[in-house]
Amino acid sequence: MLSEKSVLIVEDSALIAVDIESILAELGATDIATEGGGETRIPESRRFDLAVIDIHTASALGDSLIEKLGQESIPVVFLTTGEETRIETGYTGRSEIVRKPFTYEDLCGAFARLLG
């Protein structure tokens, strides 16, 4: 499903980030960039096919990353511990919301709907 895809993960929990990386690798993603809290270090020239972003971590990073993903029409899976059914980030592209704790099936379903 994600064969040869480039994926950005923005998640401040190292354990959750490792779980996501493992699932992505199993699904065939070959280029996975992971960022935690703090200042994002993703080069402006870097292009992703998909992003998996913890909504609370993204809020701490500011709007520039979310705006860039929207401008480039990169689909995003937003992760949340809340009950949100909509994410108020200014993101304008295709997205899915997955609640934590999530299962393998939850993420795979979101990826399939976005990249289908």
Side-chain angles (χ1 to χ4, degrees):
M1 172 191 320
L2 295 175
S3 181
E4 303 298 316
K5 299 289 187 196
S6 177
V7 183
L8 170 65
I9 301 170
V10 178
E11 170 59 63
D12 62 349
S13 167
L15 182 60
I16 293 172
V18 168
D19 285 344
I20 296 167
E21 288 172 0
S22 179
I23 291 169
L24 291 169
E26 183 177 322
L27 294 173
T30 55
D31 181 18
I32 302 169
T34 304
E35 289 290 328
E39 188 68 30
T40 183
R41 294 173 298 278
I42 303 299
E44 287 294 318
S45 61
R46 186 97 185 253
R47 173 80 173 122
F48 296 97
D49 300 301
L50 175 71
V52 181
I53 299 178
D54 174 80
I55 189 61
H56 301 293
T57 304
S59 296
L61 294 176
D63 296 333
S64 62
L65 175 64
I66 299 297
E67 287 174 7
K68 179 179 188 256
L69 296 171
Q71 289 168 354
E72 295 181 8
S73 300
I74 298 169
V76 175
V77 175
F78 287 106
L79 304 175
T80 182
T81 55
E83 295 297 319
E84 293 96 341
T85 56
R86 286 188 48 215
I87 302 294
E88 300 295 332
T89 62
Y91 177 74
T92 57
R94 294 179 311 154
S95 66
E96 288 282 324
I97 299 172
V98 173
R99 285 179 185 74
K100 296 178 188 176
F102 53 81
T103 65
Y104 176 88
E105 290 78 15
D106 293 335
L107 281 184
C108 287
F111 299 153
R113 287 186 293 277
L114 287 173
L115 301 174

Coordinates of all heavy atoms in Angstrom, one line a residue, residues 17-105:
A17 N 5.8 6.9 18.1 CA 6.5 7.2 16.8 C 7.1 5.9 16.3 O 7.1 5.6 15.1 CB 7.6 8.2 17.0
V18 N 7.8 5.1 17.2 CA 8.4 3.8 16.8 C 7.3 2.8 16.3 O 7.5 2.1 15.3 CB 9.2 3.2 17.9 CG1 9.6 1.8 17.6 CG2 10.5 4.1 18.2
D19 N 6.2 2.8 16.9 CA 5.1 1.9 16.5 C 4.6 2.3 15.1 O 4.4 1.5 14.2 CB 3.9 2.0 17.4 CG 4.1 1.3 18.7 OD1 5.0 0.4 18.8 OD2 3.3 1.5 19.7
I20 N 4.5 3.6 14.8 CA 4.0 4.1 13.5 C 5.1 3.8 12.5 O 4.8 3.3 11.4 CB 3.7 5.6 13.6 CG1 2.6 5.9 14.5 CG2 3.4 6.1 12.2 CD1 2.4 7.4 14.8
E21 N 6.4 4.0 12.8 CA 7.4 3.7 11.9 C 7.4 2.2 11.5 O 7.6 1.9 10.3 CB 8.8 4.0 12.5 CG 9.1 5.5 12.6 CD 10.4 5.8 13.4 OE1 11.0 4.8 13.9 OE2 10.7 6.9 13.6
S22 N 7.2 1.4 12.5 CA 7.2 -0.1 12.2 C 6.0 -0.5 11.3 O 6.2 -1.2 10.3 CB 7.0 -0.8 13.6 OG 6.9 -2.2 13.4
I23 N 4.8 0.1 11.5 CA 3.7 -0.2 10.6 C 4.0 0.4 9.2 O 3.7 -0.3 8.2 CB 2.4 0.5 11.2 CG1 2.0 -0.2 12.5 CG2 1.3 0.5 10.2 CD1 0.9 0.5 13.3
L24 N 4.5 1.6 9.1 CA 4.8 2.1 7.8 C 5.8 1.3 7.0 O 5.6 1.0 5.8 CB 5.3 3.5 7.9 CG 4.3 4.6 8.4 CD1 5.1 5.9 8.8 CD2 3.3 4.8 7.4
A25 N 6.9 0.8 7.7 CA 7.9 0.0 7.1 C 7.3 -1.4 6.6 O 7.5 -1.8 5.5 CB 9.0 -0.3 8.0
E26 N 6.4 -1.9 7.4 CA 5.7 -3.2 7.1 C 4.9 -3.0 5.8 O 4.7 -3.9 5.0 CB 4.9 -3.7 8.2 CG 4.2 -5.0 8.0 CD 3.4 -5.5 9.2 OE1 3.9 -5.3 10.3 OE2 2.4 -6.1 9.0
L27 N 4.3 -1.8 5.7 CA 3.4 -1.5 4.5 C 4.2 -1.1 3.3 O 3.6 -0.8 2.3 CB 2.4 -0.5 4.9 CG 1.4 -0.9 6.0 CD1 0.5 0.3 6.4 CD2 0.5 -2.0 5.5
G28 N 5.6 -1.0 3.4 CA 6.4 -0.7 2.3 C 7.0 0.7 2.2 O 7.7 1.0 1.2
A29 N 6.7 1.6 3.1 CA 7.3 2.9 3.0 C 8.8 2.8 3.1 O 9.3 2.0 4.0 CB 6.7 3.8 4.2
T30 N 9.5 3.5 2.3 CA 10.9 3.4 2.3 C 11.7 4.6 2.8 O 12.8 4.6 3.0 CB 11.4 3.1 0.8 OG1 10.9 4.1 0.0 CG2 11.0 1.7 0.4
D31 N 10.9 5.7 2.9 CA 11.6 7.0 3.4 C 10.7 7.6 4.5 O 9.6 8.1 4.2 CB 11.7 8.0 2.2 CG 12.3 9.3 2.6 OD1 13.0 9.3 3.6 OD2 12.2 10.3 1.8
I32 N 11.1 7.4 5.7 CA 10.3 7.8 6.9 C 11.1 8.8 7.7 O 12.2 8.5 8.1 CB 9.9 6.6 7.8 CG1 9.2 5.6 7.0 CG2 9.1 7.1 9.0 CD1 9.0 4.2 7.7
A33 N 10.6 10.0 7.8 CA 11.2 11.1 8.6 C 10.3 11.3 9.9 O 9.1 11.5 9.8 CB 11.3 12.4 7.8
T34 N 11.0 11.3 11.0 CA 10.2 11.4 12.3 C 10.7 12.6 13.0 O 11.9 12.8 13.2 CB 10.4 10.2 13.2 OG1 10.0 9.0 12.4 CG2 9.6 10.3 14.4
E35 N 9.8 13.5 13.4 CA 10.1 14.7 14.2 C 9.3 14.6 15.5 O 8.1 14.1 15.5 CB 9.7 15.9 13.5 CG 10.6 16.3 12.3 CD 11.9 16.7 12.7 OE1 12.1 17.4 13.8 OE2 12.9 16.4 12.0
G36 N 9.9 15.0 16.6 CA 9.2 15.1 17.9 C 8.8 16.5 18.2 O 8.5 17.3 17.3
G37 N 8.6 16.9 19.4 CA 8.3 18.2 19.8 C 9.4 19.2 19.5 O 10.5 18.8 19.1
G38 N 9.2 20.4 19.7 CA 10.2 21.4 19.5 C 10.2 21.9 18.0 O 9.2 21.7 17.3
E39 N 11.3 22.5 17.6 CA 11.4 23.1 16.3 C 11.5 22.0 15.2 O 12.4 21.1 15.4 CB 12.6 24.0 16.2 CG 12.7 24.8 15.0 CD 11.6 25.8 14.8 OE1 11.1 26.3 15.8 OE2 11.2 26.2 13.7
T40 N 10.7 22.0 14.2 CA 10.8 21.0 13.2 C 12.1 21.3 12.3 O 12.4 22.4 12.1 CB 9.6 21.0 12.3 OG1 9.7 19.9 11.3 CG2 9.3 22.3 11.6
R41 N 12.8 20.2 11.9 CA 14.0 20.3 11.1 C 13.8 19.7 9.7 O 14.8 19.3 9.1 CB 15.1 19.6 11.9 CG 15.5 20.3 13.2 CD 16.5 19.5 14.0 NE 16.0 18.2 14.4 CZ 15.2 18.0 15.5 NH1 14.8 19.0 16.2 NH2 14.8 16.8 15.8
I42 N 12.6 19.7 9.2 CA 12.4 19.2 7.9 C 12.8 20.2 6.9 O 12.3 21.3 6.9 CB 10.9 18.8 7.7 CG1 10.4 17.8 8.7 CG2 10.6 18.3 6.3 CD1 11.1 16.5 8.7
P43 N 13.7 19.9 6.0 CA 14.1 20.8 4.9 C 12.9 21.3 4.1 O 12.1 20.4 3.7 CB 15.1 20.1 4.1 CG 15.6 18.9 5.0 CD 14.4 18.6 5.9
E44 N 12.9 22.5 3.7 CA 11.8 23.0 2.9 C 11.7 22.3 1.5 O 10.6 22.2 1.0 CB 12.0 24.5 2.6 CG 11.8 25.4 3.8 CD 10.3 25.4 4.2 OE1 9.4 25.5 3.3 OE2 10.1 25.4 5.4
S45 N 12.8 21.8 1.0 CA 12.8 21.1 -0.3 C 12.3 19.7 -0.2 O 12.0 19.0 -1.2 CB 14.2 21.1 -0.9 OG 15.1 20.4 0.0
R46 N 12.1 19.1 1.0 CA 11.7 17.7 1.2 C 10.3 17.5 0.8 O 9.4 18.3 1.2 CB 12.0 17.3 2.7 CG 11.7 15.9 3.0 CD 13.0 15.2 3.0 NE 12.8 13.7 3.2 CZ 13.1 13.1 4.3 NH1 13.6 13.7 5.3 NH2 12.9 11.8 4.4
R47 N 10.0 16.5 0.1 CA 8.6 16.2 -0.4 C 8.1 14.9 0.2 O 8.9 13.9 0.2 CB 8.6 16.1 -2.0 CG 7.4 15.7 -2.6 CD 6.4 16.8 -2.7 NE 5.2 16.4 -3.4 CZ 4.0 16.4 -2.9 NH1 3.7 16.8 -1.8 NH2 3.0 16.0 -3.7
F48 N 6.9 14.9 0.7 CA 6.3 13.7 1.3 C 5.1 13.3 0.5 O 4.4 14.1 0.0 CB 6.0 13.9 2.8 CG 7.2 14.2 3.6 CD1 7.6 15.5 3.9 CD2 8.0 13.2 4.1 CE1 8.7 15.8 4.7 CE2 9.1 13.4 4.8 CZ 9.5 14.7 5.1
D49 N 4.8 12.0 0.6 CA 3.6 11.4 0.0 C 2.4 11.4 1.0 O 1.3 11.4 0.6 CB 3.8 10.0 -0.6 CG 4.9 10.0 -1.6 OD1 4.7 10.7 -2.6 OD2 5.9 9.3 -1.4
L50 N 2.8 11.4 2.3 CA 1.8 11.2 3.4 C 2.4 11.8 4.6 O 3.7 11.7 4.8 CB 1.5 9.7 3.5 CG 0.6 9.3 4.7 CD1 -0.9 9.8 4.4 CD2 0.6 7.8 4.9
A51 N 1.6 12.3 5.5 CA 2.1 12.7 6.9 C 1.2 12.1 7.9 O 0.0 12.0 7.7 CB 2.1 14.2 7.0
V52 N 1.8 11.7 9.1 CA 1.1 11.2 10.2 C 1.4 12.2 11.4 O 2.6 12.3 11.8 CB 1.4 9.8 10.6 CG1 0.7 9.3 11.8 CG2 1.2 8.9 9.4
I53 N 0.5 13.0 11.9 CA 0.8 14.1 12.8 C -0.1 14.0 14.0 O -1.3 14.0 13.9 CB 0.6 15.4 12.0 CG1 1.5 15.5 10.8 CG2 0.8 16.6 13.0 CD1 1.4 16.7 10.0
D54 N 0.6 14.0 15.2 CA -0.1 14.2 16.4 C -0.6 15.7 16.5 O 0.2 16.6 16.4 CB 0.8 13.9 17.6 CG 0.1 14.2 18.9 OD1 -0.7 13.4 19.4 OD2 0.4 15.3 19.5
I55 N -1.9 15.9 16.6 CA -2.5 17.2 16.5 C -1.9 18.1 17.6 O -1.7 19.3 17.4 CB -4.0 17.2 16.5 CG1 -4.6 18.5 16.2 CG2 -4.6 16.6 17.8 CD1 -4.2 19.1 14.8
H56 N -1.7 17.6 18.8 CA -1.2 18.5 19.9 C 0.3 18.8 19.7 O 0.7 20.0 20.0 CB -1.4 17.8 21.2 CG -2.9 17.5 21.4 ND1 -3.8 18.5 21.6 CD2 -3.6 16.4 21.5 CE1 -5.0 18.0 21.7 NE2 -4.9 16.7 21.7
T57 N 1.1 17.9 19.1 CA 2.4 18.2 18.8 C 2.5 19.2 17.7 O 3.3 20.2 17.7 CB 3.2 16.9 18.4 OG1 3.1 16.0 19.4 CG2 4.7 17.2 18.1
A58 N 1.6 19.1 16.7 CA 1.6 20.0 15.5 C 1.2 21.4 16.0 O 1.8 22.4 15.5 CB 0.6 19.5 14.5
S59 N 0.3 21.5 17.0 CA -0.1 22.8 17.5 C 1.1 23.5 18.1 O 1.2 24.8 18.0 CB -1.2 22.7 18.6 OG -2.3 22.1 18.0
A60 N 2.0 22.8 18.8 CA 3.2 23.4 19.4 C 4.2 23.9 18.3 O 4.9 24.8 18.6 CB 3.8 22.4 20.3
L61 N 4.1 23.3 17.1 CA 5.1 23.6 16.1 C 4.7 24.9 15.4 O 5.5 25.5 14.7 CB 5.2 22.5 15.1 CG 5.8 21.2 15.5 CD1 5.8 20.2 14.4 CD2 7.3 21.4 16.0
G62 N 3.4 25.3 15.5 CA 2.9 26.4 14.7 C 2.3 26.0 13.4 O 2.2 24.8 13.1
D63 N 1.9 27.0 12.7 CA 1.1 26.7 11.5 C 1.9 26.5 10.2 O 1.4 26.0 9.2 CB 0.1 27.9 11.2 CG -0.9 28.1 12.3 OD1 -1.2 27.1 13.0 OD2 -1.4 29.3 12.5
S64 N 3.2 26.8 10.2 CA 3.9 26.7 8.9 C 4.0 25.3 8.4 O 3.9 25.1 7.1 CB 5.3 27.3 9.1 OG 6.0 26.5 10.1
L65 N 4.2 24.3 9.2 CA 4.3 22.9 8.7 C 2.9 22.5 8.1 O 2.9 22.0 7.0 CB 4.7 22.0 9.8 CG 4.7 20.5 9.4 CD1 5.7 20.2 8.3 CD2 5.0 19.6 10.6
I66 N 1.9 22.7 8.8 CA 0.5 22.4 8.4 C 0.2 23.1 7.1 O -0.4 22.5 6.2 CB -0.5 22.7 9.5 CG1 -0.2 21.9 10.8 CG2 -1.9 22.4 9.0 CD1 -0.3 20.4 10.6
E67 N 0.5 24.4 7.0 CA 0.2 25.1 5.8 C 1.0 24.6 4.6 O 0.5 24.4 3.5 CB 0.6 26.6 6.0 CG -0.4 27.3 6.9 CD 0.0 28.7 7.2 OE1 1.0 29.2 6.6 OE2 -0.6 29.4 8.1
K68 N 2.3 24.2 4.8 CA 3.1 23.7 3.8 C 2.5 22.3 3.2 O 2.4 22.1 2.0 CB 4.5 23.4 4.3 CG 5.4 22.8 3.2 CD 6.8 22.6 3.8 CE 7.8 22.2 2.7 NZ 8.2 20.9 2.6
L69 N 2.0 21.5 4.1 CA 1.4 20.2 3.7 C 0.2 20.5 2.9 O -0.1 19.8 1.9 CB 1.2 19.3 5.0 CG 2.4 18.9 5.8 CD1 1.9 18.2 7.1 CD2 3.3 18.0 4.9
G70 N -0.6 21.4 3.4 CA -1.9 21.7 2.6 C -1.6 22.3 1.3 O -2.2 21.9 0.3
Q71 N -0.6 23.2 1.2 CA -0.3 23.8 -0.1 C 0.3 22.8 -1.1 O 0.0 22.9 -2.3 CB 0.8 24.9 0.1 CG 0.3 26.1 0.8 CD 1.4 27.1 1.3 OE1 2.6 26.7 1.2 NE2 1.0 28.2 1.8
E72 N 0.9 21.7 -0.6 CA 1.5 20.7 -1.5 C 0.5 19.5 -1.6 O 0.9 18.5 -2.2 CB 2.8 20.2 -0.9 CG 3.9 21.3 -0.9 CD 5.2 20.9 -0.4 OE1 5.4 19.6 -0.1 OE2 6.1 21.7 -0.2
S73 N -0.7 19.7 -1.1 CA -1.8 18.6 -1.2 C -1.3 17.3 -0.7 O -1.6 16.2 -1.2 CB -2.2 18.5 -2.6 OG -2.8 19.7 -3.1
I74 N -0.5 17.3 0.4 CA -0.1 16.0 1.0 C -1.1 15.6 2.0 O -1.5 16.3 2.9 CB 1.3 16.3 1.8 CG1 2.3 16.7 0.7 CG2 1.7 15.0 2.5 CD1 3.6 17.2 1.3
P75 N -1.7 14.3 1.8 CA -2.7 13.8 2.7 C -2.1 13.6 4.1 O -0.9 13.3 4.3 CB -3.1 12.5 2.1 CG -2.2 12.2 1.1 CD -1.4 13.4 0.8
V76 N -2.9 13.9 5.2 CA -2.5 13.8 6.5 C -3.4 13.0 7.4 O -4.6 13.1 7.3 CB -2.4 15.2 7.2 CG1 -2.1 15.2 8.6 CG2 -1.4 16.1 6.4
V77 N -2.8 12.1 8.2 CA -3.5 11.4 9.2 C -3.2 12.1 10.5 O -2.1 12.2 11.0 CB -3.1 9.9 9.4 CG1 -3.7 9.2 10.6 CG2 -3.3 9.1 8.1
F78 N -4.3 12.7 11.1 CA -4.1 13.4 12.4 C -4.4 12.5 13.5 O -5.4 11.8 13.5 CB -5.1 14.6 12.5 CG -4.7 15.8 11.6 CD1 -5.4 16.1 10.4 CD2 -3.6 16.6 11.9 CE1 -5.1 17.1 9.6 CE2 -3.3 17.7 11.1 CZ -4.0 18.0 10.0
L79 N -3.5 12.4 14.5 CA -3.7 11.6 15.7 C -4.1 12.5 16.8 O -3.6 13.6 17.0 CB -2.3 10.9 16.0 CG -1.7 10.1 15.0 CD1 -0.3 9.5 15.5 CD2 -2.6 8.9 14.6
T80 N -5.1 11.9 17.6 CA -5.6 12.7 18.7 C -6.0 11.8 19.9 O -6.3 10.6 19.7 CB -6.8 13.6 18.3 OG1 -7.2 14.3 19.4 CG2 -7.9 12.7 17.8
T81 N -5.9 12.3 21.1 CA -6.4 11.6 22.2 C -7.8 12.1 22.6 O -8.4 11.5 23.5 CB -5.5 11.8 23.5 OG1 -5.4 13.2 23.7 CG2 -4.1 11.2 23.2
G82 N -8.3 13.1 21.9 CA -9.6 13.7 22.2 C -10.7 13.0 21.3 O -10.5 12.0 20.7
E83 N -11.8 13.7 21.4 CA -13.0 13.2 20.6 C -13.3 14.1 19.4 O -14.4 14.1 18.9 CB -14.2 13.3 21.6 CG -14.1 12.4 22.8 CD -14.1 10.9 22.3 OE1 -14.8 10.5 21.4 OE2 -13.3 10.1 22.9
E84 N -12.3 14.8 18.9 CA -12.5 15.6 17.8 C -13.0 14.9 16.6 O -12.6 13.7 16.3 CB -11.1 16.3 17.3 CG -10.6 17.3 18.3 CD -9.5 16.6 19.2 OE1 -9.5 15.4 19.3 OE2 -8.8 17.4 19.8
T85 N -13.9 15.5 15.9 CA -14.4 15.0 14.6 C -13.9 15.9 13.5 O -14.0 15.5 12.3 CB -15.9 14.8 14.5 OG1 -16.5 16.1 14.8 CG2 -16.4 13.8 15.5
R86 N -13.4 17.0 13.8 CA -12.8 18.0 12.9 C -11.6 18.5 13.6 O -11.5 18.7 14.8 CB -13.8 19.2 12.6 CG -14.9 18.8 11.7 CD -15.7 20.0 11.2 NE -14.8 21.1 10.8 CZ -15.1 22.3 11.0 NH1 -16.1 22.7 11.6 NH2 -14.2 23.3 10.5
I87 N -10.6 18.8 12.8 CA -9.3 19.4 13.3 C -9.2 20.8 12.8 O -9.3 21.1 11.6 CB -8.1 18.6 12.8 CG1 -8.2 17.1 13.2 CG2 -6.8 19.2 13.2 CD1 -8.1 16.9 14.7
E88 N -9.1 21.8 13.7 CA -9.0 23.2 13.4 C -7.5 23.6 13.3 O -7.0 24.2 14.2 CB -9.7 24.0 14.5 CG -11.2 23.7 14.7 CD -12.0 24.0 13.5 OE1 -11.6 25.0 12.7 OE2 -13.0 23.4 13.2
T89 N -6.9 23.3 12.2 CA -5.5 23.6 12.0 C -5.3 24.6 10.8 O -4.2 25.0 10.7 CB -4.7 22.4 11.7 OG1 -5.2 21.8 10.5 CG2 -4.8 21.4 12.9
G90 N -6.2 24.8 10.0 CA -6.0 25.6 8.8 C -5.6 24.7 7.6 O -5.3 25.2 6.6
Y91 N -5.5 23.4 7.9 CA -5.1 22.4 6.9 C -6.2 22.3 5.9 O -7.4 22.1 6.3 CB -4.7 21.1 7.5 CG -4.4 20.0 6.5 CD1 -3.2 20.0 5.8 CD2 -5.3 19.0 6.1 CE1 -2.9 19.1 4.8 CE2 -5.0 18.1 5.2 CZ -3.8 18.1 4.5 OH -3.5 17.2 3.6
T92 N -5.9 22.4 4.6 CA -6.9 22.4 3.6 C -7.0 21.1 2.7 O -7.8 21.0 1.8 CB -6.7 23.6 2.6 OG1 -5.4 23.5 2.1 CG2 -6.9 24.9 3.4
G93 N -6.1 20.2 2.9 CA -6.1 19.0 2.1 C -6.9 17.8 2.7 O -7.7 18.0 3.6
R94 N -6.7 16.6 2.0 CA -7.4 15.4 2.5 C -6.8 14.9 3.8 O -5.6 14.9 4.0 CB -7.3 14.3 1.4 CG -8.1 14.7 0.2 CD -7.9 13.6 -0.9 NE -6.5 13.2 -1.0 CZ -6.1 12.1 -1.4 NH1 -6.9 11.1 -1.7 NH2 -4.8 11.8 -1.4
S95 N -7.7 14.6 4.7 CA -7.2 14.1 6.0 C -8.1 13.1 6.6 O -9.3 13.0 6.3 CB -7.0 15.3 7.0 OG -8.3 15.9 7.3
E96 N -7.6 12.4 7.6 CA -8.3 11.4 8.4 C -7.9 11.7 9.9 O -6.8 12.1 10.1 CB -7.9 10.0 8.1 CG -8.4 9.5 6.7 CD -9.8 9.1 6.8 OE1 -10.3 8.5 7.8 OE2 -10.5 9.3 5.8
I97 N -8.8 11.4 10.8 CA -8.5 11.5 12.2 C -8.5 10.1 12.8 O -9.5 9.3 12.6 CB -9.6 12.4 12.9 CG1 -9.6 13.8 12.3 CG2 -9.4 12.4 14.4 CD1 -10.8 14.6 12.8
V98 N -7.4 9.8 13.5 CA -7.3 8.5 14.2 C -7.1 8.8 15.7 O -6.2 9.6 16.0 CB -6.2 7.7 13.6 CG1 -5.9 6.4 14.4 CG2 -6.4 7.3 12.1
R99 N -7.9 8.2 16.5 CA -7.8 8.4 18.0 C -6.8 7.4 18.6 O -6.7 6.2 18.2 CB -9.2 8.2 18.6 CG -10.1 9.3 18.3 CD -11.5 9.1 18.9 NE -12.3 10.2 18.6 CZ -12.9 10.4 17.4 NH1 -12.6 9.5 16.4 NH2 -13.6 11.4 17.1
K100 N -6.1 7.9 19.5 CA -5.1 7.1 20.3 C -5.9 6.6 21.5 O -6.8 7.3 22.1 CB -4.0 8.0 20.9 CG -3.1 8.6 19.8 CD -2.0 9.4 20.5 CE -1.2 10.2 19.6 NZ -0.3 11.1 20.3
P101 N -5.6 5.4 21.9 CA -4.7 4.4 21.3 C -5.3 3.9 20.1 O -6.5 3.6 20.0 CB -4.5 3.4 22.4 CG -5.8 3.4 23.2 CD -6.3 4.8 23.2
F102 N -4.5 3.7 19.1 CA -4.9 3.2 17.8 C -4.4 1.8 17.6 O -3.5 1.3 18.2 CB -4.5 4.1 16.6 CG -3.0 4.3 16.6 CD1 -2.1 3.4 16.1 CD2 -2.5 5.5 17.2 CE1 -0.7 3.6 16.1 CE2 -1.1 5.7 17.2 CZ -0.2 4.8 16.6
T103 N -5.1 1.1 16.6 CA -4.6 -0.3 16.3 C -4.0 -0.2 14.9 O -4.1 0.8 14.1 CB -5.8 -1.2 16.2 OG1 -6.7 -0.8 15.1 CG2 -6.6 -1.3 17.5
Y104 N -3.4 -1.3 14.5 CA -2.8 -1.5 13.2 C -3.9 -1.2 12.1 O -3.7 -0.5 11.2 CB -2.2 -2.9 13.1 CG -1.7 -3.3 11.7 CD1 -0.4 -3.0 11.4 CD2 -2.5 -3.9 10.8 CE1 0.2 -3.4 10.2 CE2 -2.0 -4.3 9.6 CZ -0.7 -4.0 9.3 OH -0.2 -4.3 8.0
E105 N -5.0 -1.8 12.4 CA -6.2 -1.6 11.4 C -6.6 -0.2 11.3 O -7.0 0.2 10.2 CB -7.3 -2.6 11.9 CG -7.1 -4.0 11.7 CD -6.2 -4.6 12.8 OE1 -6.0 -4.0 13.9 OE2 -5.7 -5.7 12.5

